[in-house]
Amino acid sequence: MGGLSGVVASTLPVIAFVPANSFFDLTVAIWTALGVALAVMVWRLVTKAPVQPAISGFFGVGICAFIAYRTGDAKGYFLFGIYTSLAYAGAFVLSMIVRWPLVGVVWGYLNGKGTAWRRSSRAVVSYDIATFAWAVVFGARYVVQSQLYDADQTGWLAAARIGMGWPLTGVALLVTFWAVRRADNALDNESAEHREIK
C-alpha cells in the first residue's frame, strides 16, 4: 500500500484541495489536487519507490476532481470515496452472510493455501471477525462522511476523510493480523491432529 510514504502521499491532495478551494475557487482547487498527486507520482519515480500506489492515487484524485467539476461543488470531490466506502462495506457484509469472509478469501489466495481454511470452523470464525472489522471501518466512513456531505461541511469532510482513513485502517489491520495468525494456528493444529489419527 506504499508504506508510510504512501500514507502521507495519499493525504496530500486532500490537504491541498480544501484550502485552495477556500482561498481561490473550485477550478484552482481541482488543479492543485491533481498537481500534488502528479508531483507525488513523479517523486516516487525519481526516488525509485514503488510507483503503483502513486499511479492508483493519481487516478483516484482524477475521478474525485472530475466529479467535483461535474457537480460544480467542492464537496463533490469526496463523493466517490463516500460511495466506494458503502460498496466495500456491503461487499464485506455480504461475504460474511454467504460464509465466504473476504479476509479469508484474500489471505488464502496470498498464502497459496486456497480455500483450505474453510475446513476449520475456528478459522472461518477468525476471518469473520476480521471481515466484520473491515465492514465496520467502511460503514463508519460512509455514515459519517455522507452526513457531512449532506450538511455541506467540506472542511469537516476533508478532516473526516483523513481522520477515518489510515487510523481506522490501522485498527482493522491489527484485527486482521490477529485473525490470520489465529486461523493459521487452527489449521496447523487440525492438520497435526489429522496426521496423528492416521
Side-chain angles (χ1 to χ4, degrees):
M1 293 189 294
L4 182 58
S5 62
V7 171
V8 174
S10 67
T11 62
L12 291 178
V14 177
I15 292 171
F17 178 83
V18 174
N21 181 66
S22 297
F23 290 112
F24 301 102
D25 61 17
L26 180 59
T27 303
V28 172
I30 288 171
W31 285 109
T32 300
L34 287 170
V36 169
L38 181 61
V40 167
M41 191 165 63
V42 170
W43 176 73
R44 291 186 76 90
L45 279 169
V46 169
T47 59
K48 297 188 176 162
V51 75
Q52 183 55 49
I55 293 172
S56 300
F58 180 76
F59 281 111
V61 170
I63 292 169
C64 294
F66 177 74
I67 294 171
Y69 170 75
R70 292 293 294 171
T71 61
D73 196 330
K75 70 178 185 178
Y77 183 88
F78 301 94
L79 203 54
F80 179 70
I82 291 170
Y83 283 105
T84 299
S85 292
L86 177 62
Y88 282 147
F92 278 105
V93 169
L94 181 61
S95 74
M96 291 186 331
I97 291 171
V98 299
R99 305 304 297 141
W100 281 83
L102 272 177
V103 172
V105 173
V106 172
W107 182 242
Y109 171 77
L110 291 175
N111 69 10
K113 293 182 179 177
T115 59
W117 56 272
R118 288 190 48 80
R119 295 194 306 265
S120 168
S121 60
R122 189 175 171 200
V124 172
V125 169
S126 297
Y127 290 135
D128 271 337
I129 293 169
T131 301
F132 180 72
W134 286 103
V136 168
V137 166
F138 287 114
R141 286 179 186 169
Y142 170 74
V143 169
V144 171
Q145 293 175 34
S146 63
Q147 295 297 315
L148 292 170
Y149 180 90
D150 291 341
D152 293 324
Q153 297 292 325
T154 305
W156 282 109
L157 258 174
R161 179 152 169 185
I162 294 167
M164 300 184 80
W166 293 104
L168 288 184
T169 299
V171 172
L173 284 171
L174 286 175
V175 173
T176 301
F177 179 73
W178 168 83
V180 163
R181 286 179 60 89
R182 186 172 185 263
D184 285 350
N185 287 337
L187 286 173
D188 291 343
N189 291 340
E190 288 179 17
S191 295
E193 288 171 9
H194 185 67
R195 284 194 298 270
E196 285 175 8
I197 292 170
K198 281 187 173 181

